[in-house]
């Protein structure tokens, strides 16, 4: 009878094989169990049908007992083995239910605005600029005063500011607000680094603007500042013309028009020829052929006065500055028609940029 199965063999096949994973073990276990005890085709059924039933009457009792003994022993073994191959016997990482749907781990993608910020920064890095950053909660001093916006100056009204509540007991210049532009980091950078400097400053800014397709109370800018001896308006023009071509393609033209910012003198507004109609006039450029993209110009000597002690004598150094809206650039570059889409977190929209 023992020729029918070997205990050692059974145990080795399943429980003691450390390399067999749970699925293989379970399959092997079920095969083994069926081979022995399956109602049809199992070795016990066969032994009954072909051997026990046909045994001579005198041998039937002993043979029956022997078979039953083996069966009892085998059942104990099978029960024991089943524990080894059950999922609940597993612990830690091994314990999983193979019938569950697999875990999908979608690969994250750069947000389109961050992508645009990085592209803009890369264009200036290639021209030797370094990157600077500053706080989003700023003081009135850095956001306005040191940029030549005196208290109560009407230019402050162009940047509808979100102030932090409960600041009345502080002197006006120390009152906190959400920065309305990245320009305060010009001052912070000049306080830290003596000239010559060339920096770009990417970051988030806030204004009390009602959200619509082209406005968001939170948006992004990239500021630039270059200070050295003999920096001229030509340097500014060449730099920005190159940057716009690098960002939008070499056929893009730039247009500089006089404007006003308290911290630059003179000041200019830069537009690029419409990238959709090549300047002929279309809906996007409101038939003008131009798209306004940034403010810029030569740093006002009054601004240098605030950092004169760090080597910024307005009689010796000159510089240019510029500030551009990164969200607007992302809208144009990626052909999106509503800025709100950038901030609603809808994965169906965002995954298009993956
Ligand atoms: N800070 C200005 C704004 O947010 C943009 C700007 C204009 C930045 C001229 C500059 C500049 O650095 O020179 O409206």
């Amino acid at each position: 009878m023992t020729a029918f199965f070997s205990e050692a063999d059974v145990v080795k096949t399943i429980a003691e094989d450390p390399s067999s994973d749970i699925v293989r073990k379970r399959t092997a276990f079920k095969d083994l169990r069926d081979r022995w005890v399956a109602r049809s085709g199992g070795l016990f059924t066969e032994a009954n049908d072909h051997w026990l039933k046909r045994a001579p009457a005198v041998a039937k009792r002993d043979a029956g007992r022997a078979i039953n003994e083996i069966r009892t022993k085998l059942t104990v073994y099978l029960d024991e083995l089943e524990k080894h191959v059950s999922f609940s016997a597993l612990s830690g990482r091994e314990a999983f239910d193979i019938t569950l749907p697999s875990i999908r781990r979608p690969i994250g993608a750069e947000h389109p605005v961050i992508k645009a910020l990085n592209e803009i920064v890369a264009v200036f890095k290639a021209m030797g600029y370094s990157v600077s950053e500053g706080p989003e909660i700023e003081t009135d001093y850095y956001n306005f005063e040191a940029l030549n916006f005196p208290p109560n100056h009407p230019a402050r009204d162009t940047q509808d500011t979100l102030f932090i509540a409960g600041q009345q007991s502080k002197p006006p210049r120390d009152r906190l607000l959400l920065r309305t532009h990245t320009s305060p980091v010009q001052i912070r950078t000049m306080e830290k680094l003596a000239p010559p400097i060339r920096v770009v400053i990417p970051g988030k800014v806030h204004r009390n603007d009602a959200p619509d397709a082209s406005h968001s109370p939170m948006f992004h800018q990239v500021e630039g500042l270059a200070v050295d001896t003999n920096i001229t308006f030509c340097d500014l023009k060449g730099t920005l013309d190159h940057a716009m071509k690098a960002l939008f393609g070499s056929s893009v033209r730039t247009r500089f028009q006089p404007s006003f910012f308290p911290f630059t003198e003179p000041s200019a507004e830069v537009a690029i020829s419409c990238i959709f109609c090549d300047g002929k006039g279309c809906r996007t450029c409101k038939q003008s052929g131009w798209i306004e993209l940034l403010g810029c110009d030569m740093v006002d000597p009054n601004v240098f006065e605030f950092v004169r002690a760090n080597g910024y004598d307005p009689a010796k150094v000159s510089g240019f500055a510029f500030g551009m809206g990164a969200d607007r650039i992302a809208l144009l570059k990626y052909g999106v028609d509503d800025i709100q889409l950038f901030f609603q977190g809808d994965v169906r929209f965002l995954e298009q940029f993956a």
Side-chain angles (χ1 to χ4, degrees), residues 1-173:
M1 286 303 292
T2 47
F4 273 125
F5 81 104
S6 136
E7 293 165 14
D9 201 34
V10 172
V11 171
K12 198 161 156 271
T13 315
I14 305 174
E16 288 185 352
D17 177 1
S19 67
S20 65
D21 61 31
I22 193 70
V23 178
R24 258 180 52 219
K25 281 182 182 176
R26 281 175 74 83
T27 312
F29 168 78
K30 282 177 185 160
D31 287 349
L32 179 97
R33 189 190 55 198
D34 291 349
R35 199 171 113 229
W36 285 97
V37 297
R39 239 179 230 151
S40 77
L43 285 172
F44 279 107
T45 308
E46 304 229 325
N48 256 329
D49 293 351
H50 302 299
W51 186 52
L52 192 57
K53 279 182 189 162
R54 293 179 196 175
V58 284
K60 256 194 181 148
R61 233 176 93 135
D62 288 347
R65 189 177 299 134
I67 288 178
N68 272 342
E69 237 172 61
I70 294 168
R71 199 193 175 97
T72 312
K73 254 189 175 175
L74 185 73
T75 310
V76 172
Y77 266 110
L78 289 174
D79 287 351
E80 190 56 33
L81 281 173
E82 193 162 20
K83 286 186 205 153
H84 284 280
V85 297
S86 73
F87 289 119
S88 59
L90 296 173
S91 62
R93 284 191 54 211
E94 260 190 302
F96 68 96
D97 179 351
I98 56 160
T99 63
L100 286 174
S102 64
I103 299 166
R104 196 172 142 251
R105 294 189 195 282
I107 296 170
E110 217 172 25
H111 188 281
V113 173
I114 301 297
K115 195 168 164 160
L117 279 174
N118 286 338
E119 279 187 52
I120 300 165
V121 167
V123 166
F124 287 95
K125 269 189 168 174
M127 288 192 270
Y129 281 64
S130 50
V131 181
S132 197
E133 282 184 307
E136 280 171 46
I137 298 177
E138 199 39 290
T139 59
D140 185 282
Y141 175 77
Y142 285 108
N143 198 78
F144 290 124
E145 204 180 318
L147 288 167
N148 204 29
F149 289 79
N152 304 319
H153 192 283
R156 289 183 173 222
D157 293 347
T158 62
Q159 305 194 356
D160 202 348
T161 309
L162 293 157
F163 290 91
I164 308 279
Q167 304 278 303
Q168 290 77 357
S169 61
K170 290 185 180 169
R173 55 158 52 188

Side-chain angles (χ1 to χ4, degrees), residues 159 180-181 183 186 207 221 223-224 261 263-264 295-297 321-323:
Q159 305 194 356
T180 55
H181 51 176
S183 305
Q186 287 189 25
R207 288 188 200 174
Q221 291 187 334
E223 189 84 14
F261 298 102
F263 44 98
T264 47
C296 65
D297 228 311
F322 56 86

Side-chain angles (χ1 to χ4, degrees), residues 42 66 70 76 95 188 191 225 263-264 267 291 327:
I70 294 168
V76 172
R188 289 184 175 276
E191 281 179 347
L225 175 68
F263 44 98
T264 47
S267 301
I291 298 175
D327 321 74

